[in-house]
Amino acid sequence: MSSYYPSTPSMPPAPSRRRRSRQLGRYLWLIGLIVLAVLSIHLLHSRGKSSAAPRPAQTAAQRRRALAALNTQINGILAANPGVDISVTVTDIHSDQSQSYGPAVPYEAASVAKLITAADYLHQVEAGTQSLQTELEDGNTAAYDLKQMIVVSDNNAWQSLTDQLTLDSLGNYAASIGINDYDLNDNTLQTSDIALLLQKLYTHQLLNTANTNLLLGYMKIANEAGFIVPAVPKDVTVYHKAGILDDRIHDAAIIADPVTPLALVIFTNGHGAGNDAARTAAIQSITKDVLAAYDIK
């Protein structure tokens, strides 16, 4: 009688336990070699990256020559845009050296002034006189409105936070951090005022670490990022707040280069010319010239 299963003699002999152990050992040894090779390559790559020499800071003489050239370049851009007011302040955050170009007069700051409201509110949270959990007049929490005000430049959120703080509080706060010419009724500021705020924010002179990081985090993803931001190398972090109102185009940014972090503020007023593309190009040209002067590549 035939069987469905093959007879035992026709089956290949099973390998011995010792032979199976040797085969398993060879497989594990081979896998170990592969893993070791991958880890070695990764380690060499990491060492190569970490051992790269950091960019040396400019000497005093190099900086003087670069800033002299920058003065010529920016004045050339201003002259090439007649009929447009352009004001620029750039501050070397570490050295506290600041340079301004163009008319040193107050501009209607548009949404850039929201940075003062945000800093004041967080300052009062730290002082215990306000809370991020407070429900404001628009029905939102202060935390929600703060984010909306900076990230998407929500004007209703700005109004609710301002009403919660009061204009007197905002004026007193601005004066306390060195901004003495903030006209709250007309919302006018100079570029040097905002550059000072950005410098103090980045160096943790305004807020504690958690609130500094919160505000910078919102600025990192803030909208209207088509002015200063595209002119900065992609591996350099930018925190910014733009302002657009009528024929005014402004941008205020912290360019967080690890060697030379900068505060760069550019205000423009086209006086009805409607030349937004030309002014955007001017803002980006100024940004690139500033980065070159400070050796940020």
Side-chain angles (χ1 to χ4, degrees):
M1 182 176 181
S2 64
S3 173
Y4 177 80
Y5 298 99
S7 61
T8 302
S10 65
M11 296 181 67
S16 67
R17 183 176 299 175
R18 182 176 298 176
R19 182 180 174 190
R20 288 198 303 270
S21 178
R22 286 200 301 267
Q23 289 175 336
L24 180 60
R26 292 193 188 101
Y27 291 144
L28 291 176
W29 180 75
L30 181 59
I31 292 171
L33 281 179
I34 294 171
V35 171
L36 182 61
V38 171
L39 289 176
S40 298
I41 292 171
H42 176 73
L43 181 60
L44 287 172
H45 180 65
S46 300
R47 285 178 176 173
K49 291 175 66 177
S50 62
S51 63
R55 187 181 82 246
Q58 292 170 303
T59 65
Q62 288 172 328
R63 177 63 57 83
R64 284 194 299 271
R65 290 194 295 270
L67 292 181
L70 180 62
N71 184 69
T72 300
Q73 291 164 336
I74 292 183
N75 284 331
I77 293 171
L78 302 188
N81 289 272
V84 177
D85 292 338
I86 302 177
S87 179
V88 181
T89 296
V90 55
T91 300
D92 180 335
I93 290 176
H94 282 342
S95 72
D96 198 28
Q97 294 181 342
S98 186
Q99 305 287 328
S100 292
Y101 310 88
V105 297
Y107 283 64
E108 189 168 356
S111 292
V112 174
K114 292 172 180 174
L115 292 172
I116 299 178
T117 304
D120 185 16
Y121 199 92
L122 290 171
H123 169 72
Q124 294 207 29
V125 167
E126 293 178 14
T129 53
Q130 296 289 350
S131 169
L132 289 172
Q133 284 67 53
T134 298
E135 183 175 313
L136 303 180
E137 61 186 18
D138 61 0
N140 299 321
T141 64
Y144 178 84
D145 276 353
L146 182 70
K147 181 176 182 179
Q148 294 299 106
M149 179 180 68
I150 299 300
V151 175
V152 299
S153 214
D154 188 307
N155 287 328
N156 291 328
W158 188 17
Q159 186 64 57
S160 294
L161 287 162
T162 298
D163 291 344
Q164 181 72 13
L165 289 168
T166 75
L167 293 181
D168 286 343
S169 169
L170 282 165
N172 291 336
Y173 177 73
S176 75
I177 63 174
I179 299 175
N180 298 309
D181 56 353
Y182 182 21
D183 187 327
L184 285 91
N185 292 312
D186 293 332
N187 191 34
T188 55
L189 290 157
Q190 295 193 38
T191 54
S192 56
D193 295 325
I194 296 298
L196 177 64
L197 182 144
L198 294 178
Q199 179 192 20
K200 289 190 171 185
L201 173 64
Y202 191 67
T203 54
H204 295 243
Q205 297 180 57
L206 301 184
L207 303 168
N208 65 28
T209 298
N211 286 323
T212 297
N213 291 340
L214 178 70
L215 183 49
L216 288 176
Y218 292 159
M219 293 171 66
K220 186 176 180 180
I221 59 174
N223 66 352
E224 302 294 354
F227 305 114
I228 288 176
V229 176
V232 180
K234 293 189 182 299
D235 60 344
V236 177
T237 301
V238 182
Y239 309 100
H240 88 111
K241 185 75 190 82
I244 302 172
L245 177 66
D246 299 329
D247 208 24
R248 297 166 184 83
I249 298 176
H250 309 327
D251 206 359
I254 296 167
I255 300 170
D257 177 73
V259 176
T260 312
L262 302 175
L264 175 61
V265 185
I266 305 174
F267 284 178
T268 74
N269 187 346
H271 296 289
N275 53 354
D276 293 5
R279 272 185 293 157
T280 298
I283 290 171
Q284 293 182 1
S285 293
I286 290 168
T287 302
K288 291 177 181 178
D289 288 340
V290 166
L291 297 181
Y294 287 87
D295 196 31
I296 299 174
K297 302 173 182 176

